Amino acid sequence: MKQLRIRTLAGLFLAAGVLSWSGARLWDSVGTLPRVPLAAPIVLAVIAVVLLATALSLRARLRAQRERRPGAKGVEPLMAARAVVFGQASALVAALVAGMYGGTGVFLLESLDIPPRRDQAVYAGLSVLMAVAVIAAAFFMERVCKLPEDDDENGGTAPAA
């Protein structure tokens, strides 16, 4: 499984942001711009909390398993892999969502003197912050579930004599 890359997430963020900003400009010129839902930052915050709670739970279970504590409940490799895939998928979607709301928010910054637009800009900004929290939680999940590196270069075999 490949690790998440900041470049990939930043590229998705920038592409979605530029498309969203230009789409918001176009949409506003021909009609009414769609509203940024209040639920957007709330849903992203819930996803970030779920990812963080899962990562903390897995970290505690892995630590107990490594220290061979009596009664330690192990972590199945497939469960850890599923958690990492969930985190990676969440991070990719969060990068797209952050770009979308970021682009819309930048467009809305042009008209902060209008109270409804100011509120929409705040919701868009909070959505971007919560999307960054999702990405951070996904990176933490990936770090928790990463297998330890092999210290020896021969893959555990004895050197040839």
Side-chain angles (χ1 to χ4, degrees):
M1 187 178 310
K2 293 186 179 182
Q3 286 185 310
L4 280 175
R5 298 201 182 274
I6 295 284
R7 286 185 303 211
T8 304
L9 297 175
L12 284 172
F13 173 78
L14 289 174
V18 168
L19 287 173
S20 177
W21 176 79
S22 60
R25 285 184 60 91
L26 177 65
W27 201 316
D28 193 52
S29 68
V30 297
T32 305
L33 185 67
R35 297 178 52 87
V36 177
L38 176 61
I42 296 169
V43 169
L44 288 166
V46 167
I47 293 170
V49 166
V50 167
L51 280 171
L52 185 62
T54 304
L56 291 173
S57 171
L58 286 173
R59 184 176 70 167
R61 289 173 61 183
L62 287 168
R63 183 177 292 149
Q65 186 178 5
R66 256 191 322 268
E67 294 172 357
R68 301 185 193 280
R69 292 183 194 156
K73 188 175 179 185
V75 176
E76 294 180 27
L78 189 57
M79 185 179 80
R82 286 179 181 155
V84 170
V85 168
F86 172 61
Q88 289 180 344
S90 298
L92 291 170
V93 171
L96 285 171
V97 168
M100 184 182 77
Y101 286 129
T104 303
V106 167
F107 172 75
L108 290 170
L109 288 177
E110 298 170 4
S111 55
L112 286 179
D113 54 334
I114 304 169
R117 292 252 173 142
R118 186 179 330 117
D119 293 343
Q120 295 300 303
V122 169
Y123 298 157
L126 288 174
S127 297
V128 171
L129 287 176
M130 291 302 110
V132 169
V134 169
I135 292 169
F139 272 110
F140 181 63
M141 170 88 72
E142 197 173 60
R143 184 173 172 269
V144 164
C145 293
K146 185 176 180 184
L147 292 175
E149 297 291 329
D150 254 345
D151 289 336
D152 57 0
E153 295 176 6
N154 297 325
T157 60

